[in-house]
Amino acid sequence: MTTSVSAAPEQPTPTTDNISRPVSLLSSVDKIRSSLPSDDLVDEEEEQFSWTTAIFRRKQIVHPDPDAIATKRAVFDDPDLAPHYWPKKDYENLHRFDPAARWTYGEERKALVRKLDWKIMLMAAGGFSALNLDRNNISQANSDSFLQDLGLTTDDFNLGNTVFRTTVTACLEANWPGSLDPNADLPLDHFSALQGGYIPDLILYLSYFYTKTELPVRLALFWMSMNFCAIIASFIAYGTLHMDGVAGAAGWRGLLTLLIGFLSFFRMPPSPTQTKTWFRPNGWFTEREEIIMVNRILRDDPTKGDMHNREGLTLRRLWTAMCDYDLWPIYIMYAFPLIFVRIGPHETQRPHVWYPEHSPINVSHFTTQGHRALGMVTMFLITIVSEFVNERSIVSMMEDLWTLPFLVALYALPSSPNPWIFFVVVTGLLSYPFVQIYVASDAPRCTKAYYIWRNRQRARIWDAMTTQERAHYLSTTKDVGNRRLDFRFAH
């Protein structure tokens, strides 16, 4: 991923000798106290990926010297504060943590991140695609004998879809099994068809491997691929629905998601340092690559060492999160997905209106997917516009602004409208730009304003402290997580 980070002063390529050994807390702090050189560290923050920069301002991107040191400065370089941010003793990657580690831009971006994309992101993309194939397949199955085979009525179907689109508790399933970690829970989501928690679990899993500036653009591509997956689903449905009765099975039944879930068990390692197994004896990464992965992630966010990857959600932690008023703006923002309730029925009932056997006009499966392609275009265009005007709050309202005139048109249509007019109106309605692809720094303005205020409020207190006062606070405070004075919300 190209960025506009300025090149650090040229440094000799670090050797394996100075970073390849596991270190203890005391020995590492001693290194820092003994004037460990830190003038080779990078102080500049890495800029967030921008589509407008990548497409229209490529010549303005400054590519760092691949041989320059890429290690970012962090709290681990302060001998007084470092002990308070040390990873927990049961952190699964502790044996690769070393604040003395140094690496180059070439090692990190051209080698390691590219390898992560092929090894980790590719499988994650496959799982996400399977999730969307399942979710989009419901409208295809609805055009077959799906309801009759399951003994459901149309009212049952609509009720199920309403619950699916309005509930938020399904996401709790992601981390509920306390003995499981995401690499096991994600494949089980596919096997069990309990996929409400798949997306938050996937984001948690990918955060083990990617920094805060690398992950958003990859997640954005996931969101933009939703419509593409829906188009692929229609092609698959066209073939499978014509196989109705083969081997005594209905055409809407399939095993693709089950197969991807099975492969995920073998292709999703628990962590950067746990890729070796009986069927992969050499693992995916060298010792040096593991050290770079672990230390760059912890320097980017030291709180990732506060837990190990098999800590599940508990009732006590759930209650703590529910009572955390600093998280209420996010809960409110995502608790009322009214746009999906309004659009959902048109999406899921689309086959009954447009398919040849239910319509006086000859519209094929492929024709009815036109809104998917248009949706990808509108989504990308609204993202470009939001970056050009540097405004997210108004742009994030585009779903409502886009759908309102089409909903009014549907309401104004007669009870037996011209099929082609109805086709055009519903296609326009379902081509809405799905704008929830903004990254953390692009959150809607009202929520963003709150977190800016909270960060400034804490910064006034934290910045006024001396180093000794900060160390005393960190060693005595009972605050945890985002309640600590040194925590800052991403907004």
Side-chain angles (χ1 to χ4, degrees), residues 175-185 308-313:
N175 290 301
W176 193 263
S179 60
L180 297 180
D181 55 353
N183 74 291
D185 197 29
H308 62 80
N309 61 359
R310 277 177 165 75
E311 286 189 46
L313 184 66

Side-chain angles (χ1 to χ4, degrees), residues 353-426:
V353 180
W354 289 345
Y355 287 166
E357 61 267 32
H358 299 293
S359 175
I361 58 177
N362 184 23
V363 182
S364 69
H365 279 265
F366 307 123
T367 307
T368 62
Q369 296 302 313
H371 70 284
R372 301 288 189 183
L374 291 175
M376 288 190 289
V377 174
T378 59
M379 185 188 306
F380 183 75
L381 289 178
I382 203 65
T383 303
I384 295 295
V385 170
S386 70
E387 290 182 352
F388 265 121
V389 300
N390 194 29
E391 174 60 52
R392 306 299 184 265
S393 56
I394 297 177
V395 172
S396 66
M397 298 169 55
M398 281 305 298
E399 291 179 18
D400 292 322
L401 296 177
W402 180 280
T403 57
L404 180 60
F406 291 105
L407 289 172
V408 171
L410 283 176
Y411 180 80
L413 287 176
S415 56
S416 299
N418 180 291
W420 283 111
I421 294 178
F422 184 82
F423 172 81
V424 171
V425 173
V426 176

Side-chain angles (χ1 to χ4, degrees), residues 183-199:
N183 74 291
D185 197 29
L186 289 168
L188 285 176
D189 284 343
H190 285 314
F191 271 94
S192 61
L194 297 174
Q195 299 177 351
Y198 190 90
I199 292 177

Side-chain angles (χ1 to χ4, degrees), residues 57-113:
R57 307 187 187 115
R58 294 186 61 86
K59 294 183 179 179
Q60 299 179 15
I61 298 176
V62 178
H63 298 278
D65 181 353
D67 295 325
I69 296 296
T71 312
K72 302 291 191 300
R73 190 179 301 278
V75 292
F76 303 115
D77 304 305
D78 188 317
D80 295 310
L81 298 180
H84 303 289
Y85 292 90
W86 226 256
K88 291 175 60 175
K89 62 180 180 180
D90 55 353
Y91 174 58
E92 68 275 6
N93 302 312
L94 183 61
H95 61 294
R96 296 296 190 222
F97 173 63
D98 185 354
R102 299 291 185 270
W103 56 88
T104 66
Y105 284 102
E107 290 178 297
E108 181 178 7
R109 297 184 185 177
K110 293 188 177 181
L112 182 59
V113 175

Side-chain angles (χ1 to χ4, degrees), residues 234-426:
S234 71
F235 279 86
I236 296 175
Y238 183 84
T240 57
L241 293 181
H242 281 78
M243 296 174 63
D244 190 46
V246 175
W252 58 270
R253 298 182 184 272
L255 297 175
L256 180 60
T257 301
L258 190 67
L259 176 61
I260 292 179
F262 178 76
L263 293 176
S264 297
F265 272 116
F266 302 96
R267 295 288 300 177
M268 301 187 77
S271 75
T273 62
Q274 295 174 304
T275 62
K276 292 182 180 180
T277 184
W278 63 269
F279 55 84
R280 197 166 49 233
N282 295 324
W284 281 341
F285 306 106
T286 65
E287 181 178 322
R288 178 168 177 78
E289 287 174 333
E290 289 181 357
I291 292 173
I292 295 175
M293 277 191 291
V294 171
N295 287 278
R296 80 188 195 99
I297 289 297
L298 291 182
R299 283 180 172 274
D300 180 68
D301 184 359
T303 63
K304 290 182 180 179
D306 285 347
M307 61 177 289
H308 62 80
N309 61 359
R310 277 177 165 75
E311 286 189 46
L313 184 66
T314 64
L315 288 174
R316 182 176 180 180
R317 289 184 176 181
L318 175 61
W319 177 250
T320 300
M322 294 292 292
C323 296
D324 187 350
Y325 56 82
D326 279 325
L327 298 179
W328 289 356
I330 297 177
Y331 297 158
I332 295 172
M333 186 170 63
Y334 287 103
F336 304 102
L338 299 181
I339 184 70
F340 301 109
V341 178
R342 293 196 305 270
I343 295 178
H346 300 287
E347 175 62 28
T348 54
Q349 294 294 345
R350 169 176 47 81
H352 286 293
V353 180
W354 289 345
Y355 287 166
E357 61 267 32
H358 299 293
S359 175
I361 58 177
N362 184 23
V363 182
S364 69
H365 279 265
F366 307 123
T367 307
T368 62
Q369 296 302 313
H371 70 284
R372 301 288 189 183
L374 291 175
M376 288 190 289
V377 174
T378 59
M379 185 188 306
F380 183 75
L381 289 178
I382 203 65
T383 303
I384 295 295
V385 170
S386 70
E387 290 182 352
F388 265 121
V389 300
N390 194 29
E391 174 60 52
R392 306 299 184 265
S393 56
I394 297 177
V395 172
S396 66
M397 298 169 55
M398 281 305 298
E399 291 179 18
D400 292 322
L401 296 177
W402 180 280
T403 57
L404 180 60
F406 291 105
L407 289 172
V408 171
L410 283 176
Y411 180 80
L413 287 176
S415 56
S416 299
N418 180 291
W420 283 111
I421 294 178
F422 184 82
F423 172 81
V424 171
V425 173
V426 176

